[in-house]
């Protein structure tokens, strides 16, 4: 009975998230409660399971909230703007250089792990440049998706935060093992951008030159043409936006730029070295950033109010995930599911199931949302592989590495829809263009992770 009810809870949550019927907080909070009642547990027992689950993820939730606030302040103060401007100038109209620059800029700007904000900052600078050179806009989005997925491996990135909440492993501990994979991944992303840039250069030449390529990729009156023209006119405004909030226009080198850069570097290094609890590191960094950049009480309050919804939303999802996992663990449903599935699977498959799921990570991104992948699938795989003695951190590493570059190919990613709207592109054409490359890149990253002994 526990197995059937547990599977019903997971399937219901996945279905609701898959078809976007409710927000994750509702699905992760309410469905397990109903399931526990049907399994015969009392209100007091369910409350105790909830408390145990939330206590395990509280540190992760707080870290996310303060990390989002800190990096939102850094973006508003223009930390990444000079870098974008300089790299655009350095390309000097070279197609290959533009492709490489796209990968590097996307990686730098996505340091905060906020996909929507990265698209809002980078796309306005890149779309006019791609149009001017006749470059395929789907190439731009593919290169951005690769770099942004790799940067999501940071401990304040959404996928790693979710994995940490599920496995009860500290986000920075998960990240420590992923650092070499992430660094190599960024290097491989640059190599991939170089190869795709060379291919794009040949295709522009084969099409009959830049003008012919522009007519092919940006036909007059098409959504791509309208988007690129509109973006060129509003690039300066979009550069100063964060989410749906528009900040005042900035100078090319904002005030306290180098101090903000140093503060960000110290924050990241402190996290990498594990000097303090991640949440407290971001609390202190946010405090310094606010005092430095917004000395008045009204300005500090304005910034917190402006970015609090995004921070609270992520914290609430992590807390709801704690409730979901606390109930499934406390009631014994996860253990029951794992035992029953173990009996069905061939013995030799149990110990490598997490690797097999990681290999299928990008295709799974097309079928599930990020929340469903980490909050519903990961805990089940963790329980199943535990019977073969597989360490939970190995499961988290394999499943994260396997799916993370596919985050921005999923039709269930709101940030991707924002990017498609900004660039005037179509979801179907983008998936056809990017799927094979992103999955191939994911498989290479799985091999890199294996060579570093992560699973």
């Amino acid at each position: 009975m526990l197995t059937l009810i547990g599977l019903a809870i997971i399937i219901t949550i996945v279905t609701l998230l898959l078809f976007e019927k409710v927000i994750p907080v509702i699905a992760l909070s309410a469905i397990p409660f109903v399931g526990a009642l049907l399994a015969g547990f009392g209100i007091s027992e369910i409350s105790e399971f909830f408390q145990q689950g939330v206590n395990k993820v509280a540190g992760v939730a707080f870290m996310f909230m303060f990390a989002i606030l800190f990096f939102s302040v850094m973006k508003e103060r223009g930390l990444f703007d000079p870098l974008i401007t300089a790299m655009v100038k350095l390309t000097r109209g070279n197609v290959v250089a533009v492709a490489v620059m796209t990968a590097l800029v996307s990686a730098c700007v996505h340091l905060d792990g906020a996909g929507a904000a990265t698209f809002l900052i980078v796309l306005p600078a890149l779309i006019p440049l791609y149009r001017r050179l006749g470059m395929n806009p789907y190439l731009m989005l593919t290169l951005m998706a690769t770099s942004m997925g790799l940067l999501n491996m940071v401990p304040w990135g959404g996928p790693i935060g979710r994995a940490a909440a599920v496995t009860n492993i500290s986000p920075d501990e998960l990240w420590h093992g992923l650092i070499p994979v992430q660094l190599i991944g960024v290097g491989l992303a640059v190599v991939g951008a170089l190869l795709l840039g060379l291919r794009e250069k040949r295709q522009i030449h084969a099409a009959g030159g830049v003008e012919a390529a522009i007519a092919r990729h940006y036909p007059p009156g098409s959504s791509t043409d309208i988007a690129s023209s509109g973006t060129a006119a509003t690039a300066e405004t979009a550069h100063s936006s964060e989410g749906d909030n528009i900040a005042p226009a900035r100078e090319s080198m904002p005030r306290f730029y180098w101090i903000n850069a140093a503060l960000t570097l110290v924050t990241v290094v402190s996290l990498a070295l594990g000097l303090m609890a991640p949440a407290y590191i971001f609390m202190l960094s946010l405090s310094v950033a606010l005092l430095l950049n917004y000395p008045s009480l009204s300005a500090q309050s304005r910034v917190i109010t402006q970015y609090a919804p995004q921070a609270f939303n992520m914290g609430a999802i992590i807390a709801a995930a704690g409730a979901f996992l606390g109930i499934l663990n406390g009631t014994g449903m996860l253990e029951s599911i794992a035992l029953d599935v173990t009996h069905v699977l061939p013995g030799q498959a149990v110990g490598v199931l997490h690797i097999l799921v990681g290999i299928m990570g990008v295709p799974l991104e097309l079928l599930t949302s990020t929340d469903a992948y980490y909050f519903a699938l990961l805990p089940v795989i963790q329980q199943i592989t535990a019977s073969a003695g597989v360490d939970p951190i190995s499961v988290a590493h394999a499943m994260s590495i396997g799916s993370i570059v596919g985050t921005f190919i999923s039709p269930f990613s709101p940030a991707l829809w924002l990017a498609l709207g900004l660039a005037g592109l179509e979801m179907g054409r983008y998936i056809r263009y990017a799927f094979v490359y992103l999955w191939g890149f994911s498989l290479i990253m799985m091999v890199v992770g294996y060579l570093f002994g992560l699973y």
Side-chain angles (χ1 to χ4, degrees), residues 39-89:
F41 292 91
I43 298 295
S44 60
E45 292 177 297
I46 297 173
S47 178
E48 184 178 348
F49 300 151
F50 160 80
Q51 194 62 54
Q52 292 172 351
V54 170
N55 287 343
K56 290 181 178 180
V57 302
V60 178
F62 285 127
M63 185 206 70
F64 261 87
M65 294 172 68
F66 285 99
I68 289 172
L69 290 173
F70 172 74
F71 281 110
S72 295
V73 169
M74 291 297 101
K75 279 190 174 180
E76 180 172 304
R77 299 312 300 169
L79 180 64
F80 306 111
D81 286 3
L83 177 65
I84 294 175
T85 302
M87 295 194 76
V88 168
K89 289 180 179 178

Side-chain angles (χ1 to χ4, degrees), residues 92-126:
R92 298 181 179 273
N94 185 295
V95 170
V96 179
V98 169
V100 173
M101 178 271 297
T102 301
L104 290 173
V105 168
S106 301
C108 293
V109 178
H110 197 60
L111 186 62
D112 68 342
T118 302
F119 284 129
L120 282 167
I121 289 175
V122 177
L123 280 176
L126 294 184

Side-chain angles (χ1 to χ4, degrees), residues 268-360:
V268 174
V269 171
S270 299
L271 286 165
L273 297 178
L275 298 180
M276 291 188 294
Y280 195 38
I281 290 175
F282 278 113
M283 274 189 193
L284 294 175
S285 298
L286 176 64
S287 299
V288 174
L290 289 173
L291 288 172
L292 177 67
N293 295 282
Y294 307 95
S296 70
L297 179 63
S298 60
Q300 293 168 7
S301 299
R302 192 271 304 169
V303 171
I304 295 296
T305 302
Q306 181 174 351
Y307 300 116
Q310 182 184 2
F312 173 78
N313 182 58
M314 196 65 221
I317 290 176
I318 296 296
F324 162 68
L325 294 166
I327 291 175
L328 261 67
N329 274 314
T331 58
M333 292 179 188
L334 277 182
E335 182 180 359
S336 179
I337 293 171
L339 289 174
D340 288 340
V341 173
T342 302
H343 292 151
V344 175
L345 288 174
Q348 62 270 25
V350 174
V352 296
L353 184 59
H354 57 304
I355 298 176
L356 297 176
V357 173
I359 290 172
M360 296 300 296

Side-chain angles (χ1 to χ4, degrees), residues 142-213:
T142 301
L143 296 174
M144 289 187 68
T146 307
S147 294
M148 291 166 66
L150 290 169
L151 263 291
N152 269 339
M153 288 184 182
V154 293
W156 55 88
I160 299 303
R162 291 171 173 88
V166 169
T167 58
N168 196 28
I169 300 171
S170 171
D172 54 334
E173 184 180 349
L174 280 176
W175 184 43
H176 288 164
L178 292 171
I179 289 175
V181 177
Q182 188 178 32
L183 293 175
I184 291 175
V186 172
L188 291 175
V190 172
V191 173
L194 178 66
L195 295 175
L196 291 179
L198 289 170
R199 186 186 72 173
E200 185 68 16
K201 186 176 181 179
R202 290 195 301 269
Q203 290 179 345
I204 292 173
H205 179 73
V210 174
E211 293 300 325

Side-chain angles (χ1 to χ4, degrees), residues 208-219:
V210 174
E211 293 300 325
I214 293 175
R216 177 182 178 185
H217 297 307
Y218 307 87

